[in-house]
Amino acid sequence: MTPFGCAFKTALGWAAVRFNEHHEITGFLLPSSTQKSHDFLAWTVHRSFPQLEKAVVGYFAGKKIDFRKFSVSLTDASPFFQNVYGALRTVKYGETLTYKELAKKAGNPSAVRAVGGAMAHNPIPLIIPCHRVIQSDGSLGGFSADGGADLKKMLIDLEHPPIPPTAKKQAG
């Protein structure tokens, strides 16, 4: 089975997605200004995925997007990783949780380090929102995508825009 894929430009740079014939996402590259998106697609059949492209472009333009409507295929992931990714997909836009909370949500409260490993090997970041997982002390923790913790902070900040001063006055 040959995977399909496409690259597209967002406000942050080029992103890329791989998917199967059922339009289940099998891989995703967060936006980058490097050639990686093209390298990622080198062995795919180029076909567009307009619904996902529109959603990702909108997300990076500041729109609240729910990626849970897109199907994913995690056949290469271990059953444990699949379980963790499934639990993480229930975390909504703008929410965060700790690695410990995710381990509990995935049904294995003592597997905090293994959950960290699942986050580091997430093949579909953003769609499986590993950027929403933080450390128990409130610090960000690691992020394996290009841009590291700076990109993770940017994604969290994107989902938590600052309250405009006029809204603060009206609320107070």
Side-chain angles (χ1 to χ4, degrees), residues 3-4 6-7 9 19 43 61 92 105 111 122 125-126 136 140 154:
F4 303 104
C6 61
K9 192 157 177 72
F19 53 98
W43 53 270
K92 296 177 183 172
K105 191 176 188 95
N122 179 3
L126 191 62
S136 295
L140 293 179
M154 191 278 309

Side-chain angles (χ1 to χ4, degrees), residues 4-75:
F4 303 104
C6 61
F8 49 91
K9 192 157 177 72
T10 73
L12 257 64
W14 287 92
V17 62
R18 278 195 304 232
F19 53 98
N20 62 25
E21 69 275 5
H22 306 292
H23 277 85
E24 296 169 322
I25 301 165
T26 60
F28 186 79
L29 277 180
L30 288 163
S32 171
S33 59
T34 68
Q35 184 69 24
K36 284 191 172 196
S37 62
H38 299 289
D39 296 342
F40 180 75
L41 295 172
W43 53 270
T44 66
V45 174
H46 297 277
R47 181 186 286 177
S48 67
F49 194 160
Q51 302 89 346
L52 180 66
E53 180 178 338
K54 182 179 178 183
V56 172
V57 168
Y59 176 88
F60 286 106
K63 294 181 181 170
K64 183 178 179 180
I65 302 293
D66 185 354
F67 289 105
R68 295 177 296 172
K69 64 184 174 186
F70 294 100
S71 297
V72 299
S73 176
L74 297 165
T75 55

Side-chain angles (χ1 to χ4, degrees), residues 72 74 77-91 97-123 127-130 133:
V72 299
L74 297 165
S78 71
F80 174 77
F81 279 21
Q82 288 181 27
N83 193 37
V84 170
Y85 297 147
L88 181 54
R89 287 201 79 199
T90 68
V91 178
L97 77 167
T98 65
Y99 292 93
K100 185 176 183 176
E101 289 168 333
L102 182 55
K104 185 176 180 182
K105 191 176 188 95
N108 198 339
S110 63
V112 176
R113 285 189 182 273
V115 164
M119 297 303 94
H121 291 93
N122 179 3
I127 313 307
I128 299 173
C130 53
V133 184

